[in-house]
Amino acid sequence: MANKPTTHPAVGSSTVRPAKAPTAQKTMANTNRWSTRVLVTIALLCAISVLLSFVEFPLLPGVAWLSYDASIMPAAVCGFAFGPAAGLACGIISVVAHGILFADFTGALMNLLVVIGFIPPSALVYKKIHTLKGAIIGLVLGIVFAVIMAVLGNLVVTPAWLGVPLDAVVAMIVPILIPFNLLKGLLNAILTLIVYKAISNLITPKKDQVKGR
């Protein structure tokens, strides 16, 4: 009986190895999420956020002690571009820097609560629904959570650290605190949409860019 032709094991293995190499290279090519360019952009947005925290003005007549600044907007843009973690980090850095520069730790804590309420929900929804509709839904949720966090913060922080009676804080919730924080959140949302639309394709990594967003 004639011997059957056999294939040398080395031949079989040599035909498989070249097919695996491109897969490994492709996987490595997609791990540039936190590249140097992205980190520099996040740092720049943090710096802009700190600078904007110095520009304050009142929103409600007769309530000069509640002022608005647009420092949360760069952090929200950062969250839309690079994800919730990056946006939250940018917001926290801005709040801490402003609190240290002004020695206003009570205000920093209140702003931190608003940052935690506004940025993660909006960035998370936009990450899942990467459209204008998703951005609007996320920002609306961010406004709602930011208002809740601001009210809770005033109920806890203001009486404990500033000595304001709790009854006085409760009396301000409906006529002052909710309208102010709703208006503040609305301004932040509008500015975020405008600025992010204008610069999204400049700051977002090319692999994550979406045409027409």
Side-chain angles (χ1 to χ4, degrees):
M1 181 179 295
N3 292 332
K4 295 182 180 180
T6 59
T7 302
H8 195 277
V11 176
S13 61
S14 63
T15 58
V16 175
R17 287 175 184 172
K20 293 181 179 180
T23 303
Q25 293 176 358
K26 184 177 180 181
T27 302
M28 292 179 63
N30 287 333
T31 58
N32 60 347
R33 181 181 178 186
W34 295 99
S35 64
T36 302
R37 179 177 180 273
V38 170
L39 292 175
V40 170
T41 305
I42 293 174
L44 179 60
L45 289 170
C46 288
I48 295 173
S49 182
V50 173
L51 290 176
L52 288 176
S53 70
F54 289 90
V55 183
E56 301 179 343
F57 56 89
L59 290 179
L60 299 180
V63 193
W65 49 275
L66 285 178
S67 58
Y68 169 79
D69 65 74
S71 60
I72 200 172
M73 178 271 293
V77 170
C78 184
F80 275 19
F82 308 119
L88 186 59
C90 182
I92 291 174
I93 291 172
S94 172
V95 167
V96 172
H98 184 82
I100 292 174
L101 290 173
F102 280 86
D104 181 13
F105 300 106
T106 303
L109 179 57
M110 296 295 297
N111 288 331
L112 179 62
L113 294 175
V114 173
V115 165
I116 293 173
F118 186 78
I119 294 177
S122 57
L124 280 171
V125 173
Y126 184 67
K127 186 177 181 180
K128 297 293 183 182
I129 311 174
H130 218 58
T131 61
L132 177 61
K133 179 181 178 181
I136 294 173
I137 293 173
L139 289 169
V140 170
L141 285 177
I143 292 172
V144 172
F145 281 107
V147 171
I148 293 173
M149 294 295 282
V151 172
L152 291 178
N154 274 282
L155 288 173
V156 175
V157 176
T158 304
W161 289 22
L162 299 180
V164 179
L166 180 60
D167 293 343
V169 177
V170 172
M172 291 188 296
I173 291 177
V174 175
I176 297 176
L177 296 180
I178 291 180
F180 171 80
N181 285 284
L182 281 175
L183 185 55
K184 179 179 177 180
L186 182 61
L187 288 175
N188 287 328
I190 293 173
L191 289 174
T192 300
L193 285 176
I194 294 173
V195 174
Y196 181 69
K197 177 65 177 178
I199 68 172
S200 60
N201 286 335
L202 296 176
I203 66 174
T204 307
K206 189 172 182 180
K207 65 185 180 65
D208 293 331
Q209 292 180 8
V210 178
K211 185 178 180 181
R213 60 177 161 184

